[in-house]
Amino acid sequence: MASGVIFSSLRRRRSPSLEAFLAPVGLSDTALVRTVVGVANDLVIGFSDHRFPFQRKNSRSLIRKVEVFQLLLESLRDSSVSLPSTAALCLRELYLLVYRSKILLDYCAQSSKLWLLLQNHSISGHFHDLGQEFSTLLDVFPVRAVDLSDDVREQVELLRRQSRKARLFVDKRDDGFRIKFFSFLDAFENGRIPCADESRRFYVDELKISDARSCRAEIEALEEQIVNHEGDIEPTVSVLNGLVAMTRYSRFLLFGFEEEDDDFGLWNENQKKAKVRLGNQDIADKILTIPKDFCCPISLDLMRDPVIISTGQTYDRSSISRWMDEGHCSCPKTGQTLAHNRLVPNRALRNLIGQWCSANGIPYDPPEVIDPSAETFASACPAKATVEANKATVALLIQQLANGSHAGRTVAAREIRLLAKTGKENRAFIGEAGAIPYLRDLLSSPNTVVQENSVTALLNLSIFDRNKSRIMDEAGCLGSIVDVLRYGQTTEARENAAATLFSLSAVHDYKKRIADNVGAVEALASLLQEGTPRGKKDAVTALFNLSTHTENCARMIAAGAVTGLIEALGSEGIAEEAAGALALIVRQPLGAKAIVSEQTAVAGLIGMMRCGSPRGKENAVAALLELCRSGGTAATERVVRVPALAGLLQTLLFTGTKRARRKAASLARVFQRCENAPLHYGGLGLGYASASNSTSTRDTTSFAGDVSVPLSISVPVL
């Protein structure tokens, strides 16, 4: 079961190639031996001189086993005697074992040190499983039936005896490091922050994490495990978050804030792109046999619902449940006492089984098992240790922002941005700790990276309501954000400044202050017209929020926002908000006059009624209704002359949302009072009457309530 557990617990980022499960077939004895020799040579050459950070004894033992088999294979290769059928079958099984061994050794060589520590017991179990399978293979291999030298035969026999005596080995040194790692987490949990000497002894002296770059690589590796966590392995997400927070604190405590190498940011990208090329790629012929790792060790049948027990072994749920119900409290395969009876779904292996069955035309109908723990992992609240470690980190970051070098402030701004990205608790204590004044000062930095990180940090912090007031009350902070919106050095900086204004404008009292800031509305209008799709979205939502304040109408007209909003009516993704903002602006005579003066305004709103989303149609008909009410006779006549309006109104009266039907009925009544209404609206009929019966003679809804825009638009955290 080694490979199934490896793939489900360790290599979650990618699926193994077919060679991990299918042995070579259709080869002559000579070709088969050469194929297996090639895989064994690759393993020995690649790992015999490698110094593993952990699992050293297990790794050496596994490599030694393969070396003995390498001698056996080379002896067979040099022999001209044909192989017995049993020996050929064993060689195919050996191919799979060596291939899986290579995957495990590669994982131990390339993975994060901290992650290897956390998985110490599980990985030790994988080595033991492979050792047991090698032992079984040695028991059935017909040593006496093949032509081997006495020396090779003696070494094979010695390995057979040693393998029979092998027991699960967990390195005490490695496990001591793992326990110490968790002891640091316990210290934070109990309110005690480990000192620099303790952290240095552990991270630098014992784990050999000797610089900021390698420490950050460890953090990113743990964060990747959090992203890929499916709830079926330990530790839990909340514990991983605590370990990440603790390691991040230790990184800045031990290695400071100096800028890393230019290629440092590529580490995670390179990790994701890394490919492991193992085995002989020329093997094309496969046999259709059920892979051993897909079969339950108890029933020996294909598993329908694989689950993991406390020892890390995988079984079919029905088989292991029956085993436990019979009173057994040990693992059927290893004999270890079970720490608990919890069965964790092995989703990765179940998916692999499903893919294999689908590819080979085998019916496979796994049961739908709802695991409530998945939701628990996804929504896990931050533990006290995580909060305390992040608070300690923030204190270091703010100290660096206040007194550090330029390079140090650059790193600190980036880290505050990342911390503020996750969780309201982080946003709350970053704001309370006094980060906002220092971030404000960095907004004017000539360094593009510093400016981007600073404005994005403020955006992320502004999502927390109390931080909105801190930002607005900080002298010069709003003006600096507007300056980034107007003159920002990068598109991302300008877009994030617009998103920050949108977030701040959620508070009604701040809408007038934002609009009155010199250049704010003009810059939003410019971004709406010339920005990227994301920038336009940020700009239109901010303008919509500002338009809900009655005193901002004149300012928005003077700044050219009306023109930008009208042009946005034809842009998918922002037309809804644009129509909503126009519906609010047009309620005032000044706004109606500005919209009437735009030649494409009415046509754009009619287009929204024809092709827009349900909310877009609501807002478009509301804008036309308010245009008739506030724009006078000239505006009403201009709307009345649109030939298509009659049919669109009738469609809305029958198929529109409740609010759209109400607005359409009110608009129809306006036209009834026009002298040429019968010419255009004689056919409204029953639809108009039905909507009219449910509507008062004049809408009396609140100012912003007459438009429908999803005001709960979430601000992106970046």
Side-chain angles (χ1 to χ4, degrees):
M1 292 305 298
S3 63
V5 180
I6 293 169
F7 299 145
S8 64
S9 300
L10 304 182
R11 308 194 64 80
R12 194 174 302 280
R13 286 171 289 175
R14 65 173 182 270
S15 298
S17 63
L18 285 174
E19 282 78 5
F21 294 112
L22 300 176
V25 295
L27 301 178
S28 65
D29 290 349
T30 302
L32 176 61
V33 171
R34 287 177 178 173
T35 298
V36 184
V37 167
V39 178
N41 287 345
D42 287 346
L43 184 149
V44 173
I45 293 172
F47 298 106
S48 59
D49 294 328
H50 186 84
R51 182 171 177 81
F52 293 89
F54 306 110
Q55 298 291 340
R56 292 174 183 172
K57 183 174 179 179
N58 282 328
S59 299
R60 286 197 302 269
S61 175
L62 184 59
I63 294 170
R64 174 59 183 158
K65 289 181 174 68
V66 176
E67 287 175 338
V68 172
F69 274 102
Q70 186 182 28
L71 294 175
L72 184 152
L73 291 167
E74 290 174 349
S75 180
L76 292 176
R77 183 189 59 190
D78 298 337
S79 171
S80 58
V81 179
S82 61
L83 295 176
S85 59
T86 306
L89 183 63
C90 287
L91 290 184
R92 292 189 181 93
E93 182 65 19
L94 177 62
Y95 172 88
L96 297 178
L97 288 179
V98 175
Y99 198 104
R100 294 167 191 165
S101 299
K102 195 170 185 182
I103 290 177
L104 181 57
L105 291 170
D106 175 73
Y107 186 85
C108 291
Q110 294 190 20
S111 292
S112 150
K113 293 179 180 179
L114 295 178
W115 180 247
L116 289 175
L117 276 186
L118 295 175
Q119 296 297 308
N120 186 45
H121 283 246
S122 177
I123 296 173
S124 298
H126 304 331
F127 278 104
H128 179 67
D129 288 346
L130 281 171
Q132 293 295 101
E133 293 191 48
F134 274 115
S135 177
T136 302
L137 185 62
L138 285 168
D139 286 338
V140 299
F141 190 86
V143 177
R144 291 186 174 86
V146 295
D147 185 17
L148 298 176
S149 66
D150 292 341
D151 181 57
V152 172
R153 197 182 303 275
E154 183 179 334
Q155 292 199 47
V156 171
E157 185 60 34
L158 178 61
L159 180 60
R160 189 204 308 264
R161 291 196 300 269
Q162 291 174 343
S163 297
R164 287 175 178 174
K165 298 177 182 179
R167 297 291 181 268
L168 175 67
F169 176 77
V170 178
D171 193 301
K172 292 182 179 180
R173 166 185 167 274
D174 296 353
D175 210 41
F177 289 157
R178 183 183 66 86
I179 293 171
K180 191 169 185 179
F181 193 28
F182 279 106
S183 73
F184 283 125
L185 195 65
D186 290 337
F188 279 103
E189 188 78 26
N190 296 320
R192 185 182 72 82
I193 300 176
C195 67
D197 289 340
E198 287 181 282
S199 297
R200 182 172 286 104
R201 278 196 299 271
F202 178 68
Y203 286 100
V204 179
D205 299 340
E206 295 174 345
L207 300 188
K208 309 303 180 185
I209 300 174
S210 56
D211 53 36
R213 179 176 182 177
S214 58
C215 193
R216 184 173 179 82
E218 293 289 331
I219 293 170
E220 290 178 349
L222 292 180
E223 289 174 335
E224 185 178 356
Q225 293 296 335
I226 293 172
V227 171
N228 293 320
H229 203 289
E230 293 184 6
D232 55 356
I233 57 174
E234 298 290 340
T236 64
V237 166
S238 60
V239 172
L240 283 174
N241 280 326
L243 297 173
V244 168
M246 179 183 73
T247 305
R248 182 185 293 114
Y249 167 74
S250 298
R251 175 209 169 191
F252 294 117
L253 180 69
L254 299 177
F255 307 119
F257 293 82
E258 291 307 309
E259 192 74 21
E260 296 98 342
D261 296 336
D262 292 339
D263 63 343
F264 175 73
L266 299 177
W267 181 87
N268 201 34
E269 185 75 17
N270 291 336
Q271 287 292 100
K272 293 179 180 179
K273 291 181 178 179
K275 301 292 183 182
V276 180
R277 295 178 175 85
L278 300 169
N280 191 328
Q281 300 301 316
D282 297 330
I283 301 172
D285 296 326
K286 311 296 178 185
I287 58 174
L288 184 58
T289 57
I290 299 177
K292 181 186 298 184
D293 298 283
F294 293 171
C295 297
C296 176
I298 298 176
S299 67
L300 303 181
D301 293 329
L302 182 70
M303 288 186 282
R304 295 181 65 250
D305 187 14
V307 293
I308 302 172
I309 63 174
S310 62
T311 61
Q313 301 296 324
T314 297
Y315 300 90
D316 200 20
R317 183 184 293 271
S318 60
S319 299
I320 193 63
S321 296
R322 186 165 57 252
W323 170 270
M324 292 178 176
D325 291 341
E326 291 172 356
H328 298 287
C329 57
S330 61
C331 174
K333 188 169 184 180
T334 66
Q336 293 174 273
T337 301
L338 299 179
H340 54 74
N341 289 341
R342 181 186 174 197
L343 304 179
V344 180
N346 192 333
R347 296 184 184 85
L349 183 58
R350 188 169 66 184
N351 290 339
L352 284 171
I353 294 173
Q355 293 169 12
W356 181 85
C357 290
S358 176
N360 292 281
I362 299 174
Y364 181 66
D365 185 23
E368 290 296 327
V369 180
I370 299 175
D371 182 15
S373 64
E375 290 298 321
T376 305
F377 286 120
S379 59
C381 295
K384 181 181 177 182
T386 306
V387 174
E388 293 301 322
N390 282 336
K391 283 183 177 179
T393 303
V394 168
L396 293 177
L397 295 174
I398 292 179
Q399 182 180 4
Q400 190 65 207
L401 286 176
N403 305 312
S405 64
H406 174 74
R409 291 198 299 271
T410 300
V411 174
R414 180 193 63 203
E415 293 301 321
I416 286 181
R417 165 187 177 170
L418 295 175
L419 277 175
K421 179 179 179 179
T422 55
K424 66 178 182 180
E425 292 82 7
N426 288 355
R427 298 179 190 119
F429 60 66
I430 289 173
E432 291 169 0
I436 291 172
Y438 300 111
L439 294 172
R440 173 206 60 196
D441 294 341
L442 293 177
L443 291 176
S444 58
S445 171
N447 185 301
T448 58
V449 175
V450 173
Q451 187 180 72
E452 277 185 19
N453 284 329
S454 301
V455 72
T456 309
L458 287 171
L459 165 61
N460 293 341
L461 290 173
S462 71
I463 298 171
F464 185 64
D465 286 342
R466 291 184 183 177
N467 285 339
K468 288 181 171 65
S469 60
R470 292 188 177 106
I471 292 171
M472 293 297 292
D473 294 342
E474 184 63 40
C477 193
L478 176 60
S480 297
I481 295 171
V482 172
D483 286 343
V484 175
L485 174 63
R486 298 173 69 187
Y487 311 117
Q489 301 174 66
T490 65
T491 301
E492 182 181 353
R494 294 191 294 273
E495 290 173 348
N496 290 347
T500 306
L501 294 184
F502 163 62
S503 177
L504 296 173
S505 64
V507 179
H508 186 75
D509 292 344
Y510 299 155
K511 295 174 182 177
K512 185 70 166 59
R513 289 176 58 185
I514 293 172
D516 286 344
N517 202 284
V518 177
V521 180
E522 288 87 348
L524 288 172
S526 175
L527 186 62
L528 178 59
Q529 293 174 293
E530 302 172 1
T532 65
R534 183 195 146 202
K536 290 181 178 181
K537 186 73 172 179
D538 293 332
V540 76
T541 49
L543 288 171
F544 174 83
N545 270 6
L546 296 180
S547 68
T548 61
H549 197 294
T550 56
E551 297 180 23
N552 286 341
C553 179
R555 184 78 190 85
M556 295 182 70
I557 294 170
V562 170
T563 301
L565 290 169
I566 292 171
E567 292 179 2
L569 292 174
S571 299
E572 185 179 357
I574 61 174
E576 251 182 44
E577 291 84 354
L582 289 172
L584 296 174
I585 293 171
V586 79
R587 291 179 68 99
Q588 300 186 53
L590 184 63
K593 182 179 178 181
I595 291 174
V596 169
S597 66
E598 295 284 345
Q599 294 298 317
T600 59
V602 173
L605 292 170
I606 292 294
M608 276 289 293
M609 288 180 63
R610 180 183 294 110
C611 304
S613 65
R615 278 203 180 97
K617 292 176 180 179
E618 284 182 27
N619 293 340
V621 71
L624 289 174
L625 175 61
E626 295 303 334
L627 183 61
C628 293
R629 287 176 174 174
S630 304
T633 304
T636 303
E637 287 295 325
R638 185 168 176 182
V639 174
V640 166
R641 292 193 187 98
V642 178
L645 191 57
L648 293 174
L649 277 177
Q650 184 141 6
T651 300
L652 276 182
L653 288 168
F654 281 104
T655 64
T657 63
K658 183 177 180 180
R659 178 172 290 174
R661 293 197 302 271
R662 187 173 71 244
K663 295 298 180 182
S666 298
L667 184 54
R669 282 196 299 275
V670 170
F671 293 137
Q672 275 191 324
R673 295 193 289 270
C674 297
E675 58 182 2
N676 60 347
L679 176 63
H680 297 282
Y681 294 93
L684 285 177
L686 181 61
Y688 163 70
S690 299
S692 298
N693 290 337
S694 64
T695 313
S696 61
T697 58
R698 177 173 176 83
D699 287 321
T700 57
T701 53
S702 64
F703 181 67
D706 285 339
V707 293
S708 178
V709 172
L711 290 178
S712 60
I713 299 170
S714 60
V715 179
V717 284
L718 305 164

